Amino acid sequence: KDKDKISTCNKTIGIEIPCPVIFEKESKLPSLYNVEGMPTTIIIDKQGTVKFNETGFDNSIKEKLDKIVNELINK
């Protein structure tokens, strides 16, 4: 069921989401990470530090994510 939601979202925005999507049924994550709307993309490094937190979607998000993920991988 949740995979169907992801598939529908991917088709709507025209991209494949290249990272895990979390459906957290108890709704604890929004308050922990100051989620103000959907979609919200959060990147957390191995130490648990939030490196990226953005609400909404625009065409530049893939470039932003690629840059941050590559920086974290190459550390």
Side-chain angles (χ1 to χ4, degrees):
K1 194 171 191 179
D2 291 338
K3 288 184 179 184
D4 292 339
K5 291 177 185 177
I6 295 169
S7 178
T8 300
C9 178
N10 289 346
K11 289 175 186 173
T12 301
I13 62 177
I15 66 167
E16 185 67 29
I17 299 172
C19 54
V21 175
I22 299 171
F23 288 94
E24 191 256 329
K25 298 186 187 320
E26 293 180 21
S27 298
K28 293 180 182 178
L29 290 176
S31 62
L32 288 174
Y33 295 102
N34 300 316
V35 173
E36 296 177 1
M38 297 301 283
T40 295
T41 302
I42 302 169
I43 296 178
I44 304 168
D45 70 9
K46 290 180 182 181
Q47 290 75 35
T49 303
V50 174
K51 295 296 186 176
F52 181 83
N53 185 336
E54 186 167 315
T55 301
F57 177 82
D58 63 41
N59 291 330
S60 68
I61 195 150
K62 182 180 182 324
E63 293 167 6
K64 292 176 190 175
L65 294 176
D66 284 347
K67 180 181 177 199
I68 293 166
V69 170
N70 283 323
E71 287 173 359
L72 291 171
I73 290 171
N74 293 318
K75 261 188 163 180

Coordinates of all heavy atoms in Angstrom, one line a residue:
K1 N 0.8 -1.2 0.0 CA 0.0 0.0 0.0 C 0.9 1.3 0.0 O 0.6 2.2 -0.8 CB -0.9 0.0 1.2 CG -2.0 0.9 1.2 CD -3.0 0.7 2.3 CE -4.2 1.5 2.1 NZ -5.2 1.3 3.1
D2 N 1.9 1.3 0.9 CA 2.8 2.5 1.0 C 3.6 2.6 -0.3 O 3.9 3.7 -0.8 CB 3.7 2.4 2.2 CG 2.9 2.6 3.5 OD1 1.8 3.2 3.4 OD2 3.4 2.2 4.5
K3 N 4.0 1.4 -0.9 CA 4.8 1.4 -2.1 C 3.9 2.0 -3.3 O 4.5 2.7 -4.1 CB 5.2 0.0 -2.5 CG 6.3 -0.5 -1.6 CD 6.8 -1.8 -2.0 CE 8.0 -2.3 -1.1 NZ 8.5 -3.5 -1.6
D4 N 2.6 1.8 -3.2 CA 1.7 2.4 -4.2 C 1.8 3.9 -4.1 O 1.7 4.6 -5.1 CB 0.3 1.9 -4.1 CG 0.2 0.4 -4.5 OD1 1.0 -0.1 -5.2 OD2 -0.8 -0.2 -4.0
K5 N 1.8 4.4 -2.9 CA 1.9 5.9 -2.7 C 3.2 6.5 -3.2 O 3.2 7.5 -3.9 CB 1.8 6.2 -1.2 CG 0.4 5.9 -0.6 CD 0.4 6.2 0.9 CE -0.9 5.8 1.6 NZ -0.9 6.0 3.0
I6 N 4.3 5.7 -3.0 CA 5.5 6.2 -3.5 C 5.5 6.2 -5.1 O 6.0 7.1 -5.7 CB 6.7 5.3 -3.0 CG1 6.8 5.4 -1.5 CG2 8.0 5.6 -3.7 CD1 7.7 4.4 -0.9
S7 N 5.0 5.1 -5.6 CA 4.9 5.0 -7.1 C 4.1 6.2 -7.7 O 4.5 6.8 -8.7 CB 4.3 3.7 -7.5 OG 4.2 3.6 -8.9
T8 N 3.0 6.5 -7.1 CA 2.1 7.6 -7.5 C 2.8 8.9 -7.4 O 2.8 9.7 -8.4 CB 0.8 7.6 -6.7 OG1 0.1 6.4 -6.9 CG2 -0.1 8.7 -7.1
C9 N 3.5 9.1 -6.3 CA 4.3 10.4 -6.2 C 5.4 10.5 -7.2 O 5.5 11.5 -7.8 CB 4.9 10.4 -4.8 SG 5.9 11.8 -4.5
N10 N 6.1 9.4 -7.5 CA 7.2 9.4 -8.5 C 6.6 9.8 -9.9 O 7.2 10.6 -10.6 CB 7.8 8.0 -8.6 CG 8.7 7.7 -7.4 OD1 9.0 8.6 -6.6 ND2 9.1 6.4 -7.3
K11 N 5.5 9.2 -10.2 CA 4.8 9.5 -11.5 C 4.4 11.0 -11.6 O 4.5 11.6 -12.6 CB 3.7 8.6 -11.8 CG 4.1 7.2 -12.0 CD 2.9 6.2 -12.2 CE 3.4 4.8 -12.3 NZ 2.3 3.9 -12.3
T12 N 3.9 11.5 -10.4 CA 3.4 12.9 -10.4 C 4.5 13.9 -10.6 O 4.4 14.8 -11.3 CB 2.7 13.1 -9.0 OG1 1.6 12.2 -8.9 CG2 2.1 14.5 -9.0
I13 N 5.6 13.7 -9.9 CA 6.7 14.6 -10.0 C 7.7 14.3 -11.1 O 8.6 15.1 -11.4 CB 7.4 14.8 -8.6 CG1 8.1 13.5 -8.1 CG2 6.5 15.4 -7.6 CD1 8.9 13.6 -6.9
G14 N 7.6 13.1 -11.6 CA 8.4 12.8 -12.8 C 9.9 12.4 -12.5 O 10.7 12.5 -13.3
I15 N 10.1 11.9 -11.2 CA 11.4 11.4 -10.9 C 11.3 10.2 -10.0 O 10.3 10.0 -9.4 CB 12.3 12.5 -10.1 CG1 11.7 12.8 -8.8 CG2 12.5 13.7 -10.9 CD1 12.7 13.5 -7.9
E16 N 12.3 9.4 -10.0 CA 12.4 8.3 -9.1 C 13.1 8.7 -7.8 O 14.2 9.4 -7.9 CB 13.2 7.1 -9.8 CG 13.3 5.8 -9.0 CD 11.9 5.1 -8.8 OE1 11.1 5.3 -9.8 OE2 11.7 4.5 -7.8
I17 N 12.5 8.4 -6.7 CA 13.1 8.9 -5.4 C 14.3 7.9 -5.1 O 14.0 6.7 -5.0 CB 12.1 8.9 -4.3 CG1 11.0 9.9 -4.7 CG2 12.7 9.2 -3.0 CD1 9.8 9.9 -3.7
P18 N 15.5 8.4 -5.1 CA 16.7 7.5 -5.0 C 17.1 7.1 -3.6 O 18.2 6.8 -3.3 CB 17.8 8.4 -5.6 CG 17.4 9.8 -5.2 CD 15.9 9.8 -5.3
C19 N 16.2 7.3 -2.6 CA 16.6 7.0 -1.2 C 15.3 6.4 -0.5 O 14.2 6.4 -1.0 CB 17.0 8.3 -0.5 SG 15.8 9.6 -0.7
P20 N 15.6 5.8 0.7 CA 14.4 5.2 1.4 C 13.4 6.3 1.7 O 13.7 7.4 2.0 CB 15.1 4.7 2.7 CG 16.5 4.6 2.4 CD 16.8 5.7 1.4
V21 N 12.1 5.8 1.7 CA 11.0 6.7 2.0 C 10.4 6.0 3.3 O 10.1 4.8 3.3 CB 10.0 6.8 0.9 CG1 8.7 7.5 1.4 CG2 10.6 7.4 -0.3
I22 N 10.2 6.8 4.3 CA 9.8 6.3 5.6 C 8.3 6.7 5.8 O 8.0 7.8 5.8 CB 10.6 6.8 6.8 CG1 12.1 6.3 6.6 CG2 10.0 6.3 8.1 CD1 13.0 6.9 7.6
F23 N 7.5 5.7 6.0 CA 6.1 5.9 6.5 C 6.0 5.5 7.9 O 6.1 4.4 8.3 CB 5.1 5.0 5.7 CG 4.9 5.5 4.2 CD1 5.7 4.9 3.2 CD2 4.0 6.5 3.9 CE1 5.6 5.4 1.9 CE2 3.9 6.9 2.6 CZ 4.7 6.4 1.6
E24 N 6.0 6.5 8.8 CA 6.1 6.3 10.2 C 4.7 6.5 10.8 O 4.2 7.7 10.9 CB 7.1 7.3 10.8 CG 7.5 7.0 12.2 CD 6.8 8.1 13.1 OE1 6.6 9.2 12.7 OE2 6.5 7.7 14.2
K25 N 4.0 5.5 11.1 CA 2.6 5.5 11.5 C 2.3 6.2 12.8 O 1.2 6.6 13.1 CB 2.0 4.1 11.4 CG 2.1 3.5 10.0 CD 1.5 2.2 9.9 CE 1.7 1.5 8.6 NZ 1.7 2.2 7.4
E26 N 3.3 6.2 13.7 CA 3.1 6.9 15.0 C 3.3 8.4 15.0 O 3.1 9.0 16.0 CB 4.0 6.2 16.1 CG 3.6 4.7 16.3 CD 4.5 4.1 17.3 OE1 5.1 4.8 18.1 OE2 4.5 2.8 17.3
S27 N 3.8 8.9 13.9 CA 3.9 10.4 13.7 C 4.9 11.0 14.7 O 4.7 12.1 15.2 CB 2.6 11.1 13.8 OG 1.8 10.6 12.7
K28 N 6.0 10.3 15.1 CA 7.0 10.9 16.0 C 8.0 11.7 15.2 O 8.6 12.6 15.7 CB 7.7 9.8 16.8 CG 6.7 9.1 17.8 CD 7.4 8.0 18.5 CE 6.5 7.3 19.5 NZ 7.1 6.2 20.2
L29 N 8.3 11.3 14.0 CA 9.4 11.9 13.2 C 9.1 13.4 12.9 O 10.0 14.2 13.0 CB 9.6 11.1 11.9 CG 10.3 9.8 12.1 CD1 10.4 9.1 10.8 CD2 11.7 9.9 12.7
P30 N 7.9 13.8 12.6 CA 7.7 15.2 12.2 C 8.1 16.1 13.3 O 8.8 17.2 13.1 CB 6.2 15.3 12.0 CG 5.8 13.9 11.5 CD 6.7 13.0 12.3
S31 N 7.8 15.8 14.6 CA 8.2 16.7 15.7 C 9.7 16.6 15.9 O 10.4 17.6 16.3 CB 7.4 16.4 17.0 OG 7.7 15.1 17.4
L32 N 10.3 15.5 15.8 CA 11.8 15.3 16.0 C 12.6 16.1 15.0 O 13.7 16.6 15.3 CB 12.2 13.8 15.9 CG 11.8 12.9 17.0 CD1 12.1 11.5 16.7 CD2 12.4 13.4 18.3
Y33 N 12.1 16.2 13.7 CA 12.9 16.9 12.7 C 12.2 18.1 12.1 O 12.5 18.6 11.0 CB 13.1 15.8 11.5 CG 14.0 14.7 12.0 CD1 13.5 13.5 12.3 CD2 15.4 14.9 12.2 CE1 14.3 12.5 12.8 CE2 16.2 13.9 12.6 CZ 15.7 12.7 13.0 OH 16.5 11.7 13.4
N34 N 11.3 18.7 12.9 CA 10.6 19.9 12.5 C 10.0 19.9 11.1 O 10.2 20.8 10.3 CB 11.6 21.1 12.6 CG 12.1 21.3 14.0 OD1 11.4 21.2 15.0 ND2 13.4 21.5 14.2
V35 N 9.3 18.8 10.8 CA 8.6 18.7 9.5 C 7.4 19.6 9.5 O 6.6 19.6 10.4 CB 8.2 17.2 9.3 CG1 7.4 17.1 8.0 CG2 9.4 16.3 9.2
E36 N 7.4 20.5 8.5 CA 6.4 21.5 8.4 C 5.4 21.3 7.3 O 4.4 21.9 7.2 CB 7.0 22.9 8.3 CG 7.8 23.3 9.5 CD 8.5 24.6 9.3 OE1 8.3 25.3 8.3 OE2 9.2 25.0 10.3
G37 N 5.7 20.3 6.4 CA 4.9 20.1 5.3 C 5.4 18.9 4.5 O 6.4 18.3 4.9
M38 N 4.7 18.5 3.5 CA 5.0 17.4 2.7 C 5.2 17.8 1.2 O 4.4 18.6 0.8 CB 4.0 16.3 2.8 CG 3.8 15.7 4.2 SD 5.3 15.0 4.9 CE 5.3 13.5 4.1
P39 N 6.1 17.2 0.5 CA 7.1 16.3 1.0 C 8.2 17.0 1.8 O 8.5 18.2 1.5 CB 7.7 15.7 -0.3 CG 7.6 16.8 -1.3 CD 6.3 17.5 -0.9
T40 N 8.9 16.3 2.7 CA 10.1 16.9 3.4 C 11.2 15.9 3.1 O 11.0 14.7 3.3 CB 9.8 17.0 4.9 OG1 8.8 18.0 5.0 CG2 11.1 17.4 5.6
T41 N 12.3 16.4 2.8 CA 13.5 15.5 2.5 C 14.5 15.8 3.6 O 14.9 17.0 3.8 CB 14.1 15.8 1.1 OG1 13.1 15.6 0.1 CG2 15.3 14.9 0.9
I42 N 15.0 14.8 4.3 CA 16.0 15.0 5.3 C 17.1 14.0 5.1 O 16.9 12.8 4.8 CB 15.3 14.7 6.7 CG1 14.2 15.6 7.0 CG2 16.4 14.8 7.8 CD1 13.3 15.2 8.2
I43 N 18.3 14.5 5.2 CA 19.5 13.6 5.1 C 20.2 13.7 6.4 O 20.5 14.8 6.9 CB 20.5 14.1 3.9 CG1 19.8 13.9 2.6 CG2 21.8 13.3 4.0 CD1 20.6 14.4 1.4
I44 N 20.5 12.5 7.0 CA 21.1 12.4 8.3 C 22.4 11.6 8.1 O 22.4 10.5 7.5 CB 20.2 11.7 9.3 CG1 18.8 12.4 9.4 CG2 20.9 11.5 10.6 CD1 17.8 11.6 10.1
D45 N 23.5 12.2 8.6 CA 24.8 11.5 8.4 C 24.9 10.3 9.4 O 24.0 10.1 10.2 CB 26.0 12.4 8.5 CG 26.2 13.0 9.9 OD1 25.6 12.6 10.8 OD2 27.1 13.9 9.9
K46 N 26.1 9.6 9.3 CA 26.3 8.4 10.2 C 26.3 8.7 11.7 O 26.0 7.9 12.5 CB 27.6 7.7 9.8 CG 27.6 7.1 8.5 CD 28.9 6.4 8.2 CE 28.9 5.7 6.8 NZ 30.2 5.1 6.5
Q47 N 26.6 10.0 12.0 CA 26.7 10.4 13.4 C 25.3 10.9 13.9 O 25.2 11.3 15.1 CB 27.7 11.5 13.6 CG 29.2 11.1 13.4 CD 29.5 10.9 11.9 OE1 29.1 11.5 11.0 NE2 30.4 9.9 11.7
G48 N 24.3 10.9 13.0 CA 23.0 11.3 13.4 C 22.8 12.8 13.3 O 21.7 13.3 13.7
T49 N 23.7 13.5 12.6 CA 23.5 15.0 12.4 C 22.7 15.2 11.1 O 23.0 14.6 10.1 CB 24.9 15.6 12.3 OG1 25.7 15.3 13.4 CG2 24.8 17.1 12.1
V50 N 21.7 16.1 11.2 CA 20.9 16.4 10.1 C 21.8 17.3 9.2 O 22.2 18.4 9.6 CB 19.6 17.2 10.5 CG1 18.9 17.7 9.2 CG2 18.7 16.3 11.3
K51 N 22.0 16.9 7.9 CA 22.8 17.6 7.0 C 22.0 18.4 6.0 O 22.5 19.2 5.3 CB 23.8 16.7 6.2 CG 24.8 16.0 7.1 CD 25.7 17.1 7.7 CE 26.9 16.5 8.5 NZ 27.8 17.6 8.9
F52 N 20.7 18.0 5.8 CA 19.8 18.6 4.9 C 18.4 18.4 5.3 O 18.0 17.3 5.8 CB 20.0 18.0 3.5 CG 19.2 18.5 2.4 CD1 19.6 19.7 1.7 CD2 18.0 17.9 2.0 CE1 18.8 20.2 0.7 CE2 17.2 18.4 1.0 CZ 17.6 19.6 0.3
N53 N 17.6 19.5 5.3 CA 16.2 19.4 5.7 C 15.5 20.4 4.8 O 15.7 21.6 5.0 CB 16.0 19.7 7.2 CG 14.6 19.5 7.6 OD1 13.7 19.6 6.8 ND2 14.4 19.3 8.9
E54 N 14.7 20.0 3.9 CA 13.9 20.9 3.0 C 12.5 20.4 2.8 O 12.3 19.2 2.5 CB 14.6 21.0 1.6 CG 14.0 22.0 0.8 CD 14.9 22.3 -0.4 OE1 16.1 22.5 -0.3 OE2 14.3 22.4 -1.5
T55 N 11.6 21.3 3.0 CA 10.2 21.0 2.7 C 9.8 21.5 1.4 O 10.2 22.6 0.9 CB 9.3 21.8 3.8 OG1 9.7 21.3 5.1 CG2 7.9 21.5 3.6
G56 N 9.0 20.7 0.7 CA 8.6 21.1 -0.7 C 9.4 20.4 -1.7 O 10.3 19.6 -1.4
F57 N 9.1 20.7 -3.0 CA 9.8 20.1 -4.1 C 10.0 21.1 -5.2 O 9.1 21.8 -5.5 CB 9.1 18.9 -4.6 CG 9.7 18.3 -5.8 CD1 10.8 17.4 -5.6 CD2 9.3 18.6 -7.1 CE1 11.4 16.8 -6.7 CE2 10.0 18.0 -8.2 CZ 11.0 17.2 -8.0
D58 N 11.2 21.2 -5.7 CA 11.4 21.9 -7.0 C 12.4 21.2 -7.8 O 13.0 20.2 -7.4 CB 11.8 23.4 -6.7 CG 13.2 23.5 -6.0 OD1 14.1 22.8 -6.3 OD2 13.3 24.4 -5.1
N59 N 12.7 21.6 -9.0 CA 13.5 20.9 -9.9 C 15.0 20.9 -9.5 O 15.8 20.0 -10.0 CB 13.4 21.5 -11.3 CG 12.0 21.2 -11.9 OD1 11.4 20.2 -11.6 ND2 11.6 22.1 -12.7
S60 N 15.4 21.7 -8.6 CA 16.8 21.7 -8.2 C 17.1 20.8 -7.0 O 18.3 20.6 -6.7 CB 17.2 23.2 -7.7 OG 16.5 23.5 -6.5
I61 N 16.1 20.1 -6.5 CA 16.4 19.2 -5.3 C 17.3 18.1 -5.6 O 18.1 17.7 -4.8 CB 15.1 18.8 -4.7 CG1 15.4 18.2 -3.3 CG2 14.4 17.7 -5.5 CD1 14.3 18.3 -2.3
K62 N 17.2 17.5 -6.8 CA 18.1 16.4 -7.2 C 19.5 16.8 -7.2 O 20.4 16.1 -6.6 CB 17.7 15.8 -8.5 CG 18.6 14.6 -8.9 CD 18.2 14.0 -10.2 CE 19.0 12.8 -10.6 NZ 20.4 12.7 -10.3
E63 N 19.8 18.0 -7.7 CA 21.2 18.5 -7.7 C 21.7 18.7 -6.2 O 22.8 18.4 -5.9 CB 21.3 19.8 -8.5 CG 21.0 19.6 -9.9 CD 20.8 20.9 -10.7 OE1 20.9 22.0 -10.1 OE2 20.5 20.8 -11.9
K64 N 20.8 19.3 -5.4 CA 21.2 19.5 -4.0 C 21.5 18.2 -3.3 O 22.5 18.1 -2.6 CB 20.1 20.3 -3.3 CG 19.8 21.7 -3.7 CD 18.6 22.2 -3.0 CE 18.1 23.6 -3.5 NZ 16.9 24.0 -2.9
L65 N 20.6 17.2 -3.5 CA 20.8 15.9 -2.9 C 22.0 15.2 -3.4 O 22.8 14.7 -2.6 CB 19.6 15.0 -3.1 CG 18.3 15.5 -2.5 CD1 17.1 14.6 -2.9 CD2 18.4 15.6 -1.0
D66 N 22.3 15.3 -4.7 CA 23.5 14.7 -5.2 C 24.7 15.3 -4.6 O 25.7 14.5 -4.2 CB 23.6 14.9 -6.7 CG 22.6 13.9 -7.5 OD1 22.1 13.0 -6.9 OD2 22.4 14.2 -8.7
K67 N 24.8 16.6 -4.5 CA 25.9 17.3 -3.9 C 26.2 16.8 -2.4 O 27.3 16.5 -2.1 CB 25.7 18.8 -4.0 CG 26.9 19.5 -3.4 CD 26.7 21.0 -3.5 CE 27.9 21.7 -2.8 NZ 27.6 23.1 -2.5
I68 N 25.1 16.9 -1.6 CA 25.2 16.5 -0.2 C 25.6 15.1 0.0 O 26.5 14.7 0.8 CB 24.0 16.9 0.5 CG1 23.8 18.4 0.6 CG2 24.0 16.3 1.9 CD1 22.4 18.9 1.0
V69 N 25.0 14.2 -0.7 CA 25.3 12.8 -0.6 C 26.7 12.5 -1.0 O 27.4 11.7 -0.4 CB 24.2 11.9 -1.4 CG1 24.7 10.4 -1.5 CG2 22.9 12.0 -0.7
N70 N 27.1 13.1 -2.1 CA 28.5 12.8 -2.6 C 29.5 13.4 -1.6 O 30.6 12.7 -1.3 CB 28.7 13.5 -4.0 CG 28.1 12.6 -5.1 OD1 28.2 11.4 -5.0 ND2 27.6 13.3 -6.1
E71 N 29.2 14.5 -1.0 CA 30.1 15.0 0.1 C 30.2 14.1 1.2 O 31.3 13.8 1.8 CB 29.6 16.4 0.5 CG 29.9 17.5 -0.5 CD 29.2 18.8 0.0 OE1 28.5 18.9 1.0 OE2 29.3 19.8 -0.8
L72 N 29.1 13.5 1.6 CA 29.1 12.6 2.8 C 29.8 11.3 2.4 O 30.5 10.7 3.3 CB 27.6 12.3 3.2 CG 26.9 13.5 3.9 CD1 25.4 13.2 4.1 CD2 27.6 13.8 5.2
I73 N 29.6 10.8 1.2 CA 30.3 9.6 0.8 C 31.8 9.7 0.7 O 32.5 8.9 1.1 CB 29.7 9.1 -0.6 CG1 28.3 8.6 -0.4 CG2 30.6 8.0 -1.2 CD1 27.6 8.3 -1.7
N74 N 32.2 10.9 0.3 CA 33.6 11.1 0.1 C 34.4 11.6 1.3 O 35.5 12.0 1.3 CB 33.8 12.1 -1.1 CG 33.4 11.5 -2.4 OD1 33.7 10.3 -2.7 ND2 32.7 12.3 -3.2
K75 N 33.7 11.7 2.5 CA 34.3 12.1 3.7 C 35.3 11.1 4.2 O 35.2 10.0 4.1 CB 33.3 12.3 4.8 CG 32.9 13.8 5.0 CD 32.0 13.9 6.2 CE 31.9 15.3 6.6 NZ 31.1 15.5 7.8

